[in-house]
Amino acid sequence: MNKRFLAAGASVAAAAMVLTACTPPGGGDDDDASKDTAVNIGWNESFRSMNTLTANGNATSNAILTYMMNDNFGYYDDNLEVQEGALGKVEQVSEDPLKVKYTFNDDAKWSDGTPVDAADLALTWAGTSANFNTVEANNNDDGTVKKNDAKTVYFDSSTAGSALVKKFPEISDDGKEITFEYSKPYADWQTEFGTGADGVGVPAHIVAKKALGVDDAQEGKDAILKAIKDKDTKALSKISNTWNTGFDFTSMPKDEDLLVHNGPYKMTKFEEGQYVTLELDDKYTGPVKPKVKTVTVRYNGDPMAMIQAIENGEVDMTQPQATADVLSAAEKIDGVTVDAADGATYEHVDFTFDNKGPFDPAANGGDEEKAKKVRQAFLKAMPREDIVEKIIKPLNDKAVTRDSYSQVPGSPMYDAITKVNGVSDAADGDVKAAKKLLEEAGVDAPTVRVMYDNTNSRRQQEFQLIKESAEKAGFKIKDVGDVNWGTRLGDGTYDVSLFGWQSEGTGVTENDANFRTGAQNNYGGYSNKKMDKILDKLLVSKEDQQQDLLIEMEKQLTEDAFGAPIFQFPELTIYRDSVKNVKSTSVSPTMFWNYWEWEVN
């Protein structure tokens, strides 16, 4: 799905993968879950929302917990193959037009006993399609979503695939089957709804209770479906308000309705900024059977503090920000395993095209080519090789620059795409060439504001290397780093952003959210009709067409001087030997993907 995970989506592989039949996660006769076992996990950012489909909620810090609290129709294993989840099955029932049917298992229930069914998935479609929005955006200056008035419907999310479902879905009489019809073929239909940490989204009957005042669960579901089917603006305005922010909280909520879930774990404690505790829910009726009774996620943004917590026995597992010091410290601890690999996240720089700054044509007399030359000059000065050599190679001596906007180094299409996309020539740290481009543009010492997480030591180092090179080329660099950088994305107060994207899956349509005009992750206001047409083709592409289309897409991004990828994040999964079956996967939710297999000695 085309959503953001900040140090959060670019695709890591090319072809959409089909759902493969298998035993649902944790299925079988193992009753070890009754043992009084516990795992403590260290994480760098706190939970903030049960709704991972909104712009605010769609972060890995939320996904790792909602994934354990909610079942799904499919999930990625550590080989990036999509496995069948515990909620039911997904099948294509028609190719032309494309129709996809979701069938819920009889034992799929919310924790209050209400069935999980078509109403929940229909609400997710309404919330992520943008088909019901009456405005293109409804945000405050700081990027937070505004409360809709009675005449406004705005769901704070959009995905390219969901938007292709124009008609109200077919729903069986018992609500256990829902069939979506796509208006066009869609490459990633297998994983569009109900996959991974999102599951079916938030419970429709709870949304109805909060938004519409309907207490009866079935009547609430019916009211949600009626509002969607009738396109009832007044009702949908209230529904979208609840969906957008009603499931956000940063400490244990007094309202237990916000904790309604359909998976094996329930939230029992949440101390703001400190920790969240999940415990097995004895009311759970599904097939997942975790072996660990209690999981506590403890928060600390300092990676060395996490290593200290591992050493002290306060934390059993962690995936901290990887640095050479962190790796060295972890390797010195007895009884601890350190798995090092490329992670799902890649570092990149993006330009802002619409803030009247140095890269915006509006600040260059409306001259598109002049603005582009300034962007090209900044890219030319980007010391990507130097960054990899000084910051990443101490962790991975085989590390290379990432030269693709859409592919991980080593993936099947990477070599073919990077051979012709022009990234390595456009951003090669050539200060003289950068100076020349600025001279050709006729721009003298433009000031560039760079926004990044200034509490992150690796980003501090990156910023300094970029600053030194860019200033030699003739730019004036202004540091506008901010610990709250994520809330500033798209607010126009910076000219260059430096952060990471983490993939949620492997579909080619993930690119849509980053590069399409007005799309959710397109924070810099980039817009090109040629790009939009390429993305249109990718949405409906077959596997044998995708490499050529991705080449076309990446060439266009280079031609437009959109920005540049820098490197694939090195990932360290560090865990005490007392915890068994810890494995990470290079998409969200990383090492949590097989939580039901964890065992504690």
Side-chain angles (χ1 to χ4, degrees):
M1 297 175 77
N2 300 325
K3 297 169 298 194
R4 69 172 182 172
F5 276 101
L6 298 178
S11 65
V12 298
M17 297 178 182
V18 296
L19 290 167
T20 55
C22 72
T23 304
D29 300 321
D30 192 338
D31 290 324
D32 288 345
S34 61
K35 292 181 180 177
D36 191 15
T37 54
V39 167
N40 287 285
I41 300 171
W43 205 255
N44 68 334
E45 184 182 11
S46 184
F47 181 88
R48 61 177 181 265
S49 182
M50 287 287 279
N51 190 355
T52 59
L53 293 165
T54 66
N56 174 60
N58 202 345
T60 309
S61 57
N62 299 322
I64 58 176
L65 295 179
T66 59
Y67 183 71
M68 292 190 285
M69 289 189 281
N70 289 304
D71 285 342
N72 50 49
F73 278 100
Y75 65 94
Y76 286 92
D77 65 16
D78 54 341
N79 293 314
L80 292 181
E81 292 179 354
V82 182
Q83 303 293 344
E84 188 175 292
L87 274 183
K89 64 178 180 177
V90 184
E91 57 189 321
Q92 179 181 307
V93 293
S94 170
E95 188 172 356
D96 188 16
L98 173 61
K99 291 186 179 183
V100 181
K101 182 167 77 172
Y102 293 77
T103 303
F104 291 85
N105 291 334
D106 290 337
D107 59 9
K109 288 184 172 64
W110 293 102
S111 53
D112 60 3
T114 304
V116 184
D117 63 17
D120 302 305
L121 213 51
L123 176 59
T124 290
W125 163 61
T128 59
S129 68
N131 292 340
F132 298 87
N133 290 354
T134 60
V135 292
E136 287 189 8
N138 195 27
N139 297 95
N140 297 304
D141 291 341
D142 63 0
T144 57
V145 65
K146 285 182 182 177
K147 185 175 181 180
N148 300 316
D149 59 34
K151 296 178 181 178
T152 304
V153 179
Y154 178 70
F155 288 96
D156 192 27
S157 178
S158 63
T159 74
S162 186
L164 292 176
V165 177
K166 306 293 186 185
K167 297 179 181 177
F168 188 79
E170 300 170 33
I171 297 174
S172 64
D173 290 341
D174 63 1
K176 285 295 183 182
E177 294 179 357
I178 181 169
T179 303
F180 293 104
E181 179 180 323
Y182 288 80
S183 57
K184 297 177 182 178
Y186 178 55
D188 294 330
W189 62 264
Q190 295 97 334
T191 54
E192 181 57 32
F193 296 107
T195 303
D198 299 330
V200 295
V202 292
H205 67 290
I206 299 297
V207 173
K209 183 178 179 180
K210 303 300 178 190
L212 306 176
V214 182
D215 289 334
D216 181 82
Q218 188 55 54
E219 289 178 12
K221 286 174 180 285
D222 293 342
I224 293 287
L225 289 172
K226 186 176 189 302
I228 296 170
K229 190 173 185 178
D230 295 348
K231 296 186 177 180
D232 180 343
T233 296
K234 186 176 179 182
L236 287 173
S237 173
K238 295 176 182 177
I239 289 167
S240 57
N241 277 331
T242 298
W243 192 86
N244 287 342
T245 61
F247 294 86
D248 297 347
F249 52 88
T250 57
S251 62
M252 196 67 182
K254 293 178 181 177
D255 184 354
E256 292 185 1
D257 285 343
L258 303 186
L259 299 176
V260 171
H261 58 282
N262 60 55
Y265 282 101
K266 61 182 178 180
M267 187 181 293
T268 57
K269 295 178 183 176
F270 185 6
E271 288 292 332
E272 184 165 1
Q274 296 180 48
Y275 67 89
V276 169
T277 298
L278 306 184
E279 294 182 18
L280 285 176
D281 189 345
D282 56 11
K283 295 179 181 178
Y284 173 68
T285 56
V288 183
K289 295 185 178 180
K291 299 176 176 66
V292 176
K293 183 179 179 181
T294 304
V295 177
T296 298
V297 179
R298 301 185 182 280
Y299 300 116
N300 194 317
D302 180 353
M304 291 304 289
M306 280 301 173
I307 300 304
Q308 187 67 53
I310 284 270
E311 187 170 16
N312 295 344
E314 299 164 22
V315 165
D316 302 303
M317 302 161 53
T318 188
Q319 283 183 324
Q321 178 84 213
T323 67
D325 289 342
V326 168
L327 176 60
S328 176
E331 288 177 334
K332 291 174 184 174
I333 305 173
D334 291 335
V336 168
T337 298
V338 181
D339 291 336
D342 275 346
T345 306
Y346 79 93
E347 192 81 339
H348 64 105
V349 290
D350 290 352
F351 293 128
T352 304
F353 289 71
D354 60 354
N355 68 342
K356 297 184 179 169
F359 306 126
D360 182 352
N364 291 276
D367 190 330
E368 296 272 357
E369 285 303 310
K370 184 177 180 180
K372 183 164 81 173
K373 274 216 164 132
V374 180
R375 295 195 301 272
Q376 287 173 332
F378 193 91
L379 280 182
K380 200 70 180 165
M382 275 291 299
R384 297 190 313 138
E385 292 278 1
D386 209 19
I387 289 169
V388 170
E389 188 69 33
K390 292 179 178 175
I391 303 173
I392 309 304
K393 279 202 173 178
L395 284 159
N396 175 8
D397 60 7
K398 295 177 182 173
V400 294
T401 58
R402 171 166 162 155
D403 294 338
S404 169
Y405 296 96
S406 69
Q407 305 297 302
V408 169
S411 60
M413 292 191 285
Y414 183 82
D415 288 345
I417 290 174
T418 57
K419 200 176 286 185
V420 294
N421 68 0
V423 168
S424 59
D425 290 332
D428 61 0
D430 188 338
V431 170
K432 285 184 180 178
K435 271 185 178 178
K436 187 178 178 187
L437 282 163
L438 271 185
E439 288 169 6
E440 288 174 6
V443 177
D444 183 39
T447 297
V448 176
R449 297 166 296 173
V450 181
M451 196 267 288
Y452 65 102
D453 180 357
N454 61 4
T455 65
N456 181 310
S457 60
R458 186 163 70 198
R459 294 237 166 81
Q460 290 169 357
Q461 294 173 62
E462 282 180 71
F463 170 75
Q464 287 302 323
L465 290 171
I466 292 168
K467 181 176 187 288
E468 288 168 17
S469 185
E471 289 186 339
K472 285 177 186 173
F475 290 93
K476 288 182 180 175
I477 302 301
K478 185 176 181 181
D479 183 344
V480 293
D482 188 349
V483 64
N484 297 312
W485 62 274
T487 62
R488 288 178 53 193
L489 288 170
D491 71 0
T493 62
Y494 59 89
D495 309 305
V496 170
S497 57
L498 179 68
F499 64 98
W501 283 125
Q502 185 178 89
S503 178
E504 190 192 19
T506 62
V508 295
T509 58
E510 283 201 353
N511 298 291
D512 207 277
N514 295 351
F515 309 128
R516 183 181 291 279
T517 301
Q520 183 170 339
N521 298 344
N522 185 354
Y523 299 113
Y526 168 70
S527 179
N528 186 315
K529 289 179 181 177
K530 290 180 186 175
M531 175 59 68
D532 293 344
K533 286 178 181 176
I534 296 167
L535 294 171
D536 287 343
K537 292 175 185 175
L538 266 173
L539 285 182
V540 302
S541 64
K542 293 193 164 109
E543 190 174 336
D544 61 358
Q545 303 169 317
Q546 289 169 356
Q547 180 171 298
D548 287 343
L549 285 169
L550 288 170
I551 286 172
E552 194 178 344
M553 179 190 85
E554 298 213 10
K555 280 183 169 180
Q556 191 63 56
L557 290 169
T558 303
E559 164 63 24
D560 294 338
F562 170 85
I566 306 176
F567 58 81
Q568 202 70 24
F569 273 39
E571 180 181 84
L572 299 177
T573 304
I574 303 166
Y575 53 97
R576 301 183 67 81
D577 294 346
S578 56
V579 186
K580 305 299 181 188
N581 302 322
V582 178
K583 295 178 281 187
S584 195
T585 186
S586 57
V587 294
S588 179
T590 65
M591 67 180 179
F592 291 79
W593 76 269
N594 68 329
Y595 64 85
W596 56 87
E597 293 180 343
W598 296 344
E599 293 182 53
V600 181
N601 287 348

